[in-house]
Amino acid sequence: MRDAFRHVTESIAHKCAPTGIRIPIARPRDPMSQNISPLAGKPAPTSILVDVPKLLAAYADTRPDPSVPAQRVAFGTSGHRGSSLQGSFNEWHILAITQAICEYRAGKGIDGPLFIGFDTHALSRPAFESALEVLAAHGVPTMISSGDEYTPTPAISHAILMHNRGRTSGLADGIVITPSHNPPDNGGFKYNPTNGGPADTDITKWVENRANALIEGGLKEVRRMPFAQARKAAGTREHDYLDRYVTDLANIVDFDVIRSAGVHMGVDPLGGAGVHYWAPIAERYQLDLTVVSDKVDPQFAFMSVDWDGKIRMDPSSKYAMQRLIGLKDRYDVAFACDTDHDRHGVVTRSGGLMEPNHYLSVLVDYLFRHRPQWSADAAVGKTVVSTALIDRVAKRLGRKLYEVPVGFKWFAPGLFDGSLGFGCEESAGASLLRRDGTAWATDKDGLVPSLLAAEITAREGRDPGELYRQLTDELGRPFSNRVEAAATPAQKAKLARLSPDQLHTDRLAGEKIEQVLDKAPGNGAAIGGIKAIAASGWFAARPSGTEAIYKIYAESFKSEEHLQGLLDEAQKIVDAAIA
C-alpha cells in the first residue's frame, strides 16, 4: 500500500513561491492514478538504463566542488551516497572519507582489522579500490572478501562481532560500500564502528567534516598507494565472509524445522551482494530452495521499473518485485533482498507481497514466542514511524517496547548487549539475536528475516500472510500510508525543529490528541520532526535525510477514510508549521 498510495507533490508551485514558503497543492482524489509512472511494474526499457562506462569515467575524472552543497561529503542515515554523474560520489569523496576514517581509528586507538565489502552497484568496486589504496597506505589490517566476492552488509557486521567477541583490545570495525536499494547510477559508503552497527552521529559528523576539509585542501593530506600494490600489501588479507556467515546461520534460524516440513521456497537476490550466498545455504542445510535468478548486471536491466519510473532494487515495492510476485503460486513462501541484502521482501501464496509493517508484526509475534533462550527482559525495538500494531503485539506478549528515531544505528547498542531481542524499521530492515540470546548482527540483515518466513511457515503450518490476517483479527487492522512533498533546506530545518507546542490544535481526525512527541519514547533522542497520537491513529512528519522532501506517515485502526482524514490534517499542520 505504501507504493500504491505514495504521493509525490509537484514542485512547480515551489518554484514560484518565495524562499521558505510552501504553497500547498491539493492532492489528487485518486492517488492510484496519479504520480505513478506508466513504466511502473514493467520491464525496464533500454532508454532508462545507466551508461556504465560514462558512470565509471565520471567517478574517476570528476572533481567535486566543495562550494556546492550537493557535491560535499554528507552522511545521512546510511552513510554518504550520491552519483558520479552529479558530482556527489566520486573518487575524491572516497579517498577523503577513507583518510578521515583512518585518522578516526588512530585517534580512538582502534587497531584491529577493518572488514570491508562491496555490493553489485557499478560504483561499488571502484570505490572499494580507492578505499583500499588509502587503507593500505596507512597500514590498516584490511579484510577483503575471498575471490573478490560481493559482500552483504550483514556479513560485515557479523564478521566484526565475531572478531570482537571476548576481546577488549585489537577491536575490529568495518566499511560497507553500498547505496542499498538505490538506482544503478548511485554509490554509497558507510562506516561501522566496533559495535558492528551503523556509526552514530558523533562519528559520522567528525568523518564528514574532516573529509570535506581534505577535499577543500586538494587531498594534499591523503595518503594512498597504487591499487596493485595495496592489494599485495602485508596488511591486506582475504576473509571468507560467505562461508563464515552461512555456517553460522544455524545459530539464528531453525533449519531443522524447515527441512522437516519440506517447505518449498523461492528467492530472488535481485542481482545483489548475496547472489552467491543462497545456493550454499540451500546445499549446507539441505533446503528445498530455488534461486529464481543469479544474474548480476550493473545496469540492473532485468528489474521491473519502480513506481516513479526509476530502477530501484526495493524488495518492498510491488512494482520492483513483479518477477517474484508472478511466481508466488510456485512456492510455499518466497522472498527477496535488496542490493546489499540488508532489507527483505516476503511473497506468500496466500496474499502476494507483504507490506513490510505487516511482516514485521508477524515476526515480532512469532520470535518472542519461539525463542525461549532470549532474556525475559529483551525488548521489542521499532522506529517511531513503524506500525502501532507492533505496540499491540508487544503489549500482548508482555514485552517492553523500545521506540527510537528513524535510523538503524539506534538499535545497535541493544542488539549488541542483548537488551533488544529484535529491532526493525518500517522500510523492511530488521535484525535480531541468535537463538541463544547473544548478538548476531547489529546492522540490518535481509537474509535472516527472509529465511524466518520459511521457519514460520514450517512451524505454524500457515504462511506469514495468513498469520497477519489472524493477528489483525485479534488486535485490529491498521491502514497506513506515506506522503512525500518537496521542501527547501530551510523548510526541512523548520520541520526538524518542530516542537509539541507548535501544534495549534488538540484534535486529530475527530479524536483528541493524546500525545505529541518530538523525542522518541525509547531513548529520548530527537526524532527530527513530530509525531501526534490519538486513540485510533497517528501521524508523524519528518524531513528526509537524503532528499529535498519531507515525509508524512499516518496510520489508522479505523478505516481508509479515517486514514485519509489523518493525512489531510497532518498536511495542514505541517504546512502551517513550516510556512
Side-chain angles (χ1 to χ4, degrees):
M1 189 165 64
R2 175 171 63 91
D3 293 296
F5 286 88
R6 184 181 291 177
H7 308 179
V8 182
T9 309
E10 295 179 9
S11 61
I12 186 168
H14 299 272
K15 297 177 182 177
C16 303
T19 302
I21 301 295
R22 180 181 184 276
I23 298 176
I25 302 171
R27 286 192 303 277
R29 297 182 68 122
D30 180 12
M32 291 188 70
S33 66
Q34 302 290 332
N35 303 317
I36 302 298
S37 169
L39 296 176
K42 299 177 181 177
T46 56
S47 60
I48 70 169
L49 300 182
V50 66
D51 183 334
V52 173
K54 182 179 179 181
L55 187 73
L56 298 179
Y59 173 83
D61 300 337
T62 302
R63 300 291 178 262
D65 182 349
S67 69
V68 178
Q71 296 185 24
R72 294 176 66 81
V73 172
F75 276 77
T77 53
S78 295
H80 174 76
R81 293 183 182 177
S83 173
S84 63
L85 300 175
Q86 298 172 8
S88 52
F89 191 93
N90 306 87
E91 185 177 51
W92 273 43
H93 294 110
I94 304 310
L95 295 173
I97 295 170
T98 310
Q99 173 71 29
I101 289 171
C102 289
E103 294 177 11
Y104 173 81
R105 295 181 95 243
K108 295 297 181 180
I110 301 171
D111 56 3
L114 183 142
F115 291 90
I116 188 170
F118 57 91
D119 75 1
T120 55
H121 277 82
L123 290 173
S124 294
R125 186 179 291 273
F128 160 74
E129 294 180 358
S130 300
L132 189 63
E133 292 177 1
V134 177
L135 294 168
H138 283 265
V140 174
T142 305
M143 309 299 282
I144 66 174
S145 185
S146 299
D148 284 336
E149 179 59 67
Y150 305 112
T151 308
T153 289
I156 295 175
S157 179
H158 175 266
I160 294 169
L161 295 186
M162 289 294 288
H163 175 86
N164 291 345
R165 180 174 292 178
R167 295 176 183 266
T168 57
S169 62
L171 297 179
D173 53 1
I175 290 174
V176 187
I177 304 175
T178 174
S180 190
H181 63 289
N182 281 17
D185 67 344
N186 276 216
F189 198 89
K190 70 176 184 176
Y191 175 64
N192 284 24
T194 56
N195 71 359
D200 205 347
T201 310
D202 59 339
I203 300 175
T204 57
K205 184 54 66 175
W206 189 93
V207 170
E208 175 184 308
N209 290 339
R210 178 58 179 150
N212 282 319
L214 290 165
I215 291 173
E216 289 166 356
L219 301 187
K220 293 177 182 177
E221 297 180 69
V222 173
R223 290 162 53 189
R224 64 189 293 201
M225 64 172 62
F227 176 71
Q229 185 180 345
R231 186 64 179 78
K232 297 176 182 178
T236 302
R237 286 166 281 174
E238 290 197 351
H239 179 81
D240 195 340
Y241 289 98
L242 190 157
D243 183 70
R244 302 284 183 91
Y245 179 89
V246 171
T247 299
D248 207 16
L249 276 172
N251 291 307
I252 193 167
V253 177
D254 189 344
F255 289 109
D256 291 338
V257 72
I258 298 173
R259 185 171 53 253
S260 297
V263 179
H264 184 39
M265 297 163 280
V267 60
D268 190 342
L270 300 180
V275 64
H276 300 140
Y277 278 55
W278 293 103
I281 290 172
E283 181 179 0
R284 179 178 293 273
Y285 298 108
Q286 299 177 346
L287 303 177
D288 182 2
L289 174 62
T290 299
V291 179
V292 171
S293 172
D294 61 0
K295 185 176 179 61
V296 175
D297 171 15
Q299 292 184 307
F300 293 89
F302 53 82
M303 289 293 301
S304 52
V305 180
D306 204 6
W307 69 276
D308 57 354
K310 295 182 179 180
I311 296 175
R312 191 178 285 109
M313 291 62 70
D314 182 354
S316 66
S317 165
K318 72 175 186 179
Y319 301 105
M321 285 278 282
Q322 280 297 298
R323 177 165 65 185
L324 194 59
I325 292 172
L327 300 175
K328 74 179 182 68
D329 292 330
R330 297 188 185 182
Y331 307 106
D332 295 322
V333 68
F335 32 83
C337 292
D338 68 340
T339 323
D340 67 322
H341 273 48
D342 74 340
R343 301 188 191 200
H344 60 271
V346 173
V347 176
T348 67
R349 184 176 287 174
S350 67
L353 178 65
M354 293 187 71
E355 286 288 322
N357 274 322
H358 297 181
Y359 180 56
L360 292 171
S361 300
V362 172
L363 261 181
V364 171
D365 184 61
Y366 173 82
L367 287 168
F368 284 89
R369 289 188 294 106
H370 294 283
R371 292 297 185 265
Q373 290 183 270
W374 287 7
S375 167
D377 297 323
V380 178
K382 55 161 273 191
T383 58
V384 292
V385 297
S386 299
T387 178
L389 183 59
I390 292 175
D391 306 39
R392 299 184 179 194
V393 172
K395 183 178 181 180
R396 186 171 73 173
L397 291 166
R399 292 283 178 167
K400 177 185 175 183
L401 185 73
Y402 183 71
E403 191 171 4
V404 299
V406 173
F408 210 78
K409 64 184 180 182
W410 301 109
F411 299 127
L415 291 168
F416 183 77
D417 65 20
S419 60
L420 277 181
F422 181 82
C424 65
E425 53 187 17
E426 59 87 30
S427 55
S431 192
L432 57 142
L433 299 178
R434 295 166 180 264
R435 294 161 69 184
D436 67 1
T438 59
W440 166 258
T442 47
D443 209 332
K444 296 191 292 287
D445 189 325
L447 294 93
V448 169
S450 296
L451 291 164
L452 286 171
E455 181 186 324
I456 290 169
T457 302
R459 179 164 278 120
E460 301 289 356
R462 289 174 292 171
D463 69 40
E466 294 170 299
L467 293 171
Y468 174 74
R469 286 191 289 278
Q470 177 183 325
L471 205 59
T472 58
D473 287 343
E474 297 167 350
L475 298 177
R477 178 187 174 192
F479 301 85
S480 60
N481 196 350
R482 189 176 84 187
V483 172
E484 298 175 354
T488 66
Q491 291 167 341
K492 289 172 63 177
K494 276 188 176 183
L495 181 55
R497 295 192 301 267
L498 198 61
S499 63
D501 58 11
Q502 289 178 269
L503 257 69
H504 304 301
T505 180
D506 62 354
R507 309 289 294 179
L508 182 61
E511 295 183 326
K512 180 177 175 58
I513 295 177
E514 298 178 350
Q515 197 174 14
V516 181
L517 306 173
D518 60 353
K519 293 181 174 61
N523 60 1
I527 64 177
I530 203 158
K531 181 177 182 178
I533 306 167
S536 304
W538 58 270
F539 86 83
R542 55 178 289 271
S544 169
T546 56
E547 300 174 86
I549 59 174
Y550 68 79
K551 302 176 182 180
I552 296 176
Y553 306 78
E555 183 173 61
S556 167
F557 277 84
K558 281 187 173 181
S559 64
E560 289 281 6
E561 292 73 25
H562 183 242
L563 171 64
Q564 191 57 52
L566 289 170
L567 286 168
D568 290 342
E569 293 193 25
Q571 184 80 66
K572 292 175 184 176
I573 290 170
V574 172
D575 284 342
I578 68 175

